[in-house]
Amino acid sequence: DELADEFCLAEFDDFIGLPWQDSIYDYVWIVPDQTAWDTGERDIVCAAYDLDLRKVTGTLQGVAE
């Protein structure tokens, strides 16, 4: 989880267009469970979402909000 958090935070600024601390969005990560890890899965998936839980459609890439 720590590695995933560091990775997603580092990607957030470039993707959203603002530092995480200044954005209206937050992020979450998905990492492999133990079964997937045991089979060699190592992907980390990062997702940004609206803190007010408003419906978001399309990409948030470059929104700078």
Side-chain angles (χ1 to χ4, degrees):
D1 285 344
E2 186 177 326
L3 178 63
D5 185 48
E6 291 173 10
F7 175 79
C8 291
L9 180 58
E11 296 295 316
F12 188 94
D13 296 4
D14 286 338
F15 186 80
I16 296 294
L18 280 176
W20 170 74
Q21 301 89 325
D22 299 331
S23 178
I24 65 170
Y25 299 102
D26 202 356
Y27 66 95
V28 64
W29 62 89
I30 302 165
V31 295
D33 64 13
Q34 189 63 53
T35 302
W37 186 268
D38 291 345
T39 64
E41 180 66 47
R42 300 292 189 269
D43 290 338
I44 297 170
V45 176
C46 307
Y49 67 94
D50 187 311
L51 286 168
D52 292 329
L53 301 177
R54 294 175 294 192
K55 185 176 181 180
V56 175
T57 59
T59 183
L60 294 175
Q61 187 172 14
V63 296
E65 295 182 311

